[in-house]
Amino acid sequence: MTPHERALPRYRAVLADMDGTMFRGDELIPGAREAYTELSARGVCWLFLSNNATGPASELAAKLNRLGVPVTTGQVVNSASALVRALQGNHKGIRLLVVGETGLRRAVSEAGAILDDDPLSAELVVVALDREFSYEKLSRAGRCIRGGARFWATNRDPGYPVGGDVLPGAGSLVAAVSVASGRDPDRVFGKPEPDMALLSLETLQVRADQCLVVGDRMETDILFARNAGMASALVFTGVTAREDLPRFGYAPDHMLDSIADIGTLFPRDSSHAP
């Protein structure tokens, strides 16, 4: 073992971003499965985090399994998870206008919200990624918020990587609704906001300083870790490139070419079992 390895913190849990970190589109990042398998065998807990709210966390868990990473639904937390938790806590029965896809609409309905596309009667507007976004949906959401409804957003990611391109994300739609309504969201659930961090710590039953957040985007993943008091590792398989780093006023604790290299941050002489 090298002196560098002995000096590394004893992380007990990895909180790994998904799109751009574990996979790109429908392609698993080379070495991601092996890294997950090796650290899991050594007692490291894994939780997978995603701002993707097109459906419940179970759908993202199913995707990881299809790609060859054997996870349970309980190992995935997305911004929809945090949204559902908030609805179940204090907003059961609220009339909800959703700009989002079928999976999210189903999840909030199961959480006790009443789906209502009428801008005159809905009490809360939720905006997420919606690949069938239209002028009509924008008009309804803007009118509802201007009429006094609260405005929640699942996340503000401007885009997400697919193949060699970056497609518009939920943040692009949130920006459009903000302009149409004249208001910023009252609450945002995805990274870098705190809701997913609190839910993750409750799920894993660990302290923030025992967690390593791994992600590809400075303004969501790395800032999320910084805000939550967690260590961070930036990978260069997604949105942020090395040449982008000087424009940020903060830095990751570690930098890796990809998540395949994460084992270098875990000393081999220690047990990470909870």
Side-chain angles (χ1 to χ4, degrees), residues 98-264:
V98 177
V99 176
E101 300 192 356
T102 301
L104 179 63
R105 293 175 66 86
R106 182 172 61 251
V108 298
S109 179
E110 291 173 354
I114 299 170
L115 297 175
D116 187 352
D117 289 334
D118 186 344
L120 298 179
S121 57
E123 304 166 87
L124 170 63
V125 175
V126 170
V127 180
L129 179 62
D130 185 342
R131 284 164 290 196
E132 295 185 354
F133 188 60
S134 65
Y135 185 84
E136 181 182 357
K137 291 182 179 182
L138 174 62
S139 179
R140 282 202 305 264
R143 183 180 183 188
C144 191
I145 295 166
R146 290 196 307 273
R150 281 169 286 184
F151 177 13
W152 288 1
T154 56
N155 67 85
R156 278 180 150 152
D157 290 4
Y160 61 98
V162 175
D165 199 2
V166 177
L167 300 182
S172 298
L173 278 60
V174 171
V177 173
S178 291
V179 171
S181 65
R183 277 178 47 195
D184 287 331
D186 302 303
R187 188 170 180 179
V188 181
F189 291 91
K191 298 171 289 183
E193 304 302 329
D195 289 86
M196 289 174 63
L198 295 173
L199 185 52
S200 298
L201 293 175
E202 288 178 11
T203 300
L204 291 170
Q205 292 295 293
V206 295
R207 300 191 312 267
D209 63 358
Q210 296 172 318
C211 297
L212 175 67
V213 176
V214 185
D216 69 300
R217 191 191 292 264
M218 285 291 291
E219 61 269 41
T220 52
D221 304 310
I222 306 307
L223 185 56
F224 169 81
R226 182 183 176 90
N227 290 344
M230 300 175 182
S232 63
L234 179 69
V235 295
F236 296 106
T237 51
V239 173
T240 301
R242 289 183 187 273
E243 54 266 29
D244 297 328
L245 296 178
R247 67 185 176 88
F248 295 97
Y250 51 92
D253 296 290
H254 311 282
M255 290 184 284
L256 303 170
D257 287 336
S258 86
I259 200 165
D261 304 318
I262 192 175
T264 62

Side-chain angles (χ1 to χ4, degrees), residues 36-86:
Y36 170 75
T37 301
E38 179 189 348
L39 291 187
S40 295
R42 290 165 55 192
V44 178
C45 300
W46 285 73
L47 201 66
F48 296 92
L49 308 182
S50 176
N51 276 356
N52 184 338
T54 54
S58 59
E59 294 182 0
L60 293 170
K63 178 172 183 175
L64 279 174
N65 277 276
R66 286 196 305 273
L67 294 176
V69 182
V71 302
T72 66
T73 296
Q75 285 180 269
V76 179
V77 171
N78 66 347
S79 54
S81 307
L83 168 64
V84 163
R85 183 174 181 246

